[in-house]
């Protein structure tokens, strides 16, 4: 099989390979791994497909119920107790670290961000306190893809390729954080622009007003009341806390299994779309990454599925790069959708927090990818880390443990606790 990279390092040419999987020199298609991309959905009987899509609908319903449950939990705590819960995250660096570490631990940026948006929508967390958590969740979600790259550690050549493709997502999000986090601390553009956008769209024909979505409230009320009835037998303080924890657990379960189910039903076709798109046009690859992430409700699925193709030499880090950029934007739509489950006087500001997530990722694409000046930086960093890791295999593990676990935990302890 023709090698995609030379011994001197990964080929970063964006023109390597085409939609058919041919190499740049026109050599025969690399069909061995492609044989593994059979659409598993076609093997499922029709009854299993129907049950699968019913499961998808049920999990989406569970997600909406979970957001409503958390809102009721925060409301039950009272304003003083609810604000006390997030007092330790009032410092922006602590909030950022909570977003990173929390997402690493639960392996879902959607869950972390949805909880932050719900907390804002219930009045428990101010919008300026939620923004660092949202930005941190954007970084924390990239660790899963890098963990996938560790599975190639047994082969030096493949291990050199795989981290180059996986950590490009890391460095893209770190660079976005490096640019926008200090700017947000000083001038608060995300807060102001999201507020302006929410004021312009809220209650208009462009976006539905969450307060008017009575059918959603009617549909979620039985589950919501059942949980509250279960926790009402505890004390007035512990009851709402248990309600919040149950809601958070339900969000995690819904997002986790929704991704698994949609992966079974859709990723066969979605993966083929990605593989055909990445060799044609960078912006088509970006759109494909966004679309697949909207469908699967998980940027991790979108990016992780490409790492094996990079490890075997079918794709280069340069081809994976625009896909992960698009997946970052695609994951924001879930949170915007979840924001519409909020009710009450703070529902509008909850929608603003969801728009923060959307605007941040949109601006990151413009600043880093659309403008050519910074575009090579994540790719350069990822390929150099991959080169070093292929020579010293412990480097990648130390990198992941340090920047995603040790440093955020240290900031939380030193700044937020002590």
């Amino acid at each position: 099989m023709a090698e995609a990279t030379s011994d001197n390092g990964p080929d970063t040419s964006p023109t390597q390979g085409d939609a058919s999987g041919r190499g740049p020199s026109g050599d025969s298609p690399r069909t061995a791994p492609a044989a593994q991309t059979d659409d598993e959905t076609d093997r499922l009987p029709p009854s299993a497909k129907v049950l699968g899509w019913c499961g998808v609908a049920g999990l989406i319903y569970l997600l909406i119920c979970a957001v409503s449950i958390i809102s009721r939990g925060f409301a039950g705590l009272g304003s003083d107790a609810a604000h006390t819960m997030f007092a330790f995250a009032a410092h922006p660096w602590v909030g950022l670290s909570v977003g990173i570490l929390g997402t690493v631990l639960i392996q879902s940026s959607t869950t972390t961000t949805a909880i932050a948006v719900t907390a804002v929508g219930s009045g428990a967390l101010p919008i300026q306190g939620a923004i660092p958590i949202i930005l941190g969740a954007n970084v924390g979600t990239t660790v899963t893809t890098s963990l996938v790259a560790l599975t190639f550690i047994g082969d030096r050549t493949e291990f050199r390729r795989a981290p180059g493709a996986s950590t490009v997502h890391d460095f893209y999000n770190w660079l976005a954080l490096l640019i926008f986090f200090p700017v947000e601390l000083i001038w608060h553009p995300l807060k102001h622009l999201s507020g302006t956008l929410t004021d312009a769209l809220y209650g208009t024909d462009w976006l539905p007003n969450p307060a008017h979505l009575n059918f959603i409230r009617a549909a979620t009320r039985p589950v919501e009341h059942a949980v509250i009835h279960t926790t009402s037998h505890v004390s007035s303080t512990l009851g709402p806390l248990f309600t919040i924890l149950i809601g958070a657990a339900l969000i995690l379960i819904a997002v986790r299994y929704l991704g698994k189910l949609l992966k079974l039903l859709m990723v066969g076709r979605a993966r083929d779309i990605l593989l055909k798109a990445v060799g044609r046009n960078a912006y088509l690859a970006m759109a494909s990454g966004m679309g697949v992430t909207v469908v699967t409700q998980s940027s991790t699925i979108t990016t992780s599925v490409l790492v094996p193709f990079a490890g075997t030499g079918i794709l280069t880090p340069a081809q994976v790069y625009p896909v992960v950029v698009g997946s970052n934007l695609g994951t924001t739509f879930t949170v915007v959708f979840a924001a519409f489950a909020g009710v009450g006087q703070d529902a509008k500001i909850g929608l603003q927090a969801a728009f923060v997530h959307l605007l941040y990722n949109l601006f990151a694409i413009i600043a880093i990818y659309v403008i050519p000046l910074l575009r090579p930086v994540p790719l350069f960093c990822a390929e150099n880390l991959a080169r070093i890791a292929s020579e010293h295999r412990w480097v990648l593990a130390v990198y992941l443990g340090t920047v995603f676990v040790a440093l955020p935990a240290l900031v939380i302890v030193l700044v937020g606790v002590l």
Side-chain angles (χ1 to χ4, degrees):
M1 184 176 70
E3 290 292 325
T5 60
S6 67
D7 291 338
N8 292 328
D11 179 9
T12 61
S13 171
T15 60
Q16 179 181 351
D18 58 17
S20 66
R22 294 181 180 273
S25 59
D27 54 345
S28 61
R30 303 179 177 94
T31 56
Q36 303 172 9
T37 64
D38 295 334
D39 189 356
E40 297 179 2
T41 307
D42 292 337
R43 305 175 191 171
L44 296 175
S47 59
K49 294 180 183 179
V50 172
L51 288 174
W53 286 112
C54 289
V56 169
L59 288 169
I60 292 175
Y61 169 74
L62 184 62
L63 175 64
I64 299 172
C65 290
V67 173
S68 299
I69 289 168
I70 292 178
S71 296
R72 285 294 299 269
F74 280 126
L77 277 176
S79 59
D80 291 341
H83 283 91
T84 301
M85 283 186 62
F86 291 94
F88 77 101
H91 193 287
W93 288 99
V94 176
L96 178 67
S97 300
V98 167
I100 295 174
L101 188 59
T103 303
V104 168
L105 293 177
I106 65 177
Q107 292 288 287
S108 174
S109 63
T110 301
T111 302
T112 305
T113 309
I115 292 173
V117 169
T118 306
V120 172
S122 64
L125 181 66
I127 183 68
Q128 61 267 26
I131 292 176
I133 297 176
I134 293 171
L135 269 57
N138 228 50
V139 171
T141 191
T142 64
V143 72
T144 307
T145 309
S146 296
L147 291 174
V148 173
L150 286 173
T151 62
F152 291 87
I153 198 168
D155 186 296
R156 184 179 296 273
T157 302
E158 292 184 346
F159 189 61
R160 186 169 185 174
R161 297 174 183 142
S166 64
T167 59
V168 71
H169 197 192
D170 298 21
F171 288 109
Y172 172 82
N173 280 334
W174 281 117
L175 181 58
L177 185 67
L178 184 64
I179 295 171
F180 289 102
F181 186 56
V183 171
E184 182 64 26
L185 290 181
I186 299 172
W187 293 292
H188 312 292
L190 291 174
K191 176 184 176 182
H192 297 318
L193 289 174
S194 62
T196 302
L197 183 63
T198 305
D199 290 338
L201 297 179
Y202 191 85
T204 67
D205 293 335
W206 288 92
L207 287 177
N209 187 332
H212 297 162
L213 299 180
N214 295 326
F215 64 94
I216 291 181
R217 294 293 299 157
T220 60
R221 193 172 288 115
V223 176
E224 180 184 318
H225 285 178
V227 172
I228 293 174
H229 176 73
T230 302
T231 59
S232 63
H233 302 292
V234 195
S235 68
S236 59
T237 301
L238 290 179
L241 284 176
F242 283 139
T243 301
I244 294 170
L245 290 175
I246 291 172
L250 290 178
I251 288 181
L252 180 59
I253 292 170
V255 171
R256 179 71 54 90
Y257 287 97
L258 186 61
K260 289 180 181 293
L261 196 53
L262 285 169
K263 182 177 181 180
L264 178 64
L265 293 170
M266 289 293 299
V267 166
R269 293 189 181 93
R271 179 179 53 201
D272 292 340
I273 293 172
L274 283 176
L275 292 177
K276 291 177 181 178
V278 293
R280 293 179 179 177
N281 179 276
Y283 290 99
L284 177 61
M286 188 185 301
S288 299
M290 181 182 71
V292 170
T293 302
V294 170
V295 169
T296 61
Q297 301 283 295
S298 172
S299 61
T300 300
I301 290 176
T302 306
T303 55
S304 296
V305 77
L306 296 179
V307 174
F309 291 93
T312 54
I314 294 177
L315 298 176
T316 65
Q319 290 173 313
V320 173
Y321 185 10
V323 179
V324 303
V325 170
S327 72
N328 259 23
L329 186 60
T331 196
T332 65
F333 291 98
T334 304
V335 180
V336 173
F337 172 73
F340 284 101
V343 293
Q345 61 181 1
D346 294 310
K348 182 177 179 180
I349 198 170
L351 183 61
Q352 180 185 350
F355 279 140
V356 167
H357 193 209
L358 176 64
L359 289 173
Y360 171 63
N361 283 283
L362 184 61
F363 291 156
I365 290 175
I366 296 172
I368 299 174
Y369 198 87
V370 176
I371 299 175
L373 181 63
L374 295 177
R375 188 187 304 168
V377 174
L379 196 58
F380 173 82
C381 294
E383 291 181 336
N384 276 279
L385 177 62
R387 176 181 55 80
I388 296 171
S390 67
E391 298 170 358
H392 308 283
R393 301 187 185 187
W394 52 269
V395 168
L396 184 60
V398 170
Y399 158 73
L400 295 176
T402 301
V403 301
F404 288 104
V405 179
L407 285 179
L410 192 63
V411 170
I412 293 172
V413 171
L414 295 180
V415 181
V417 178
L418 298 181

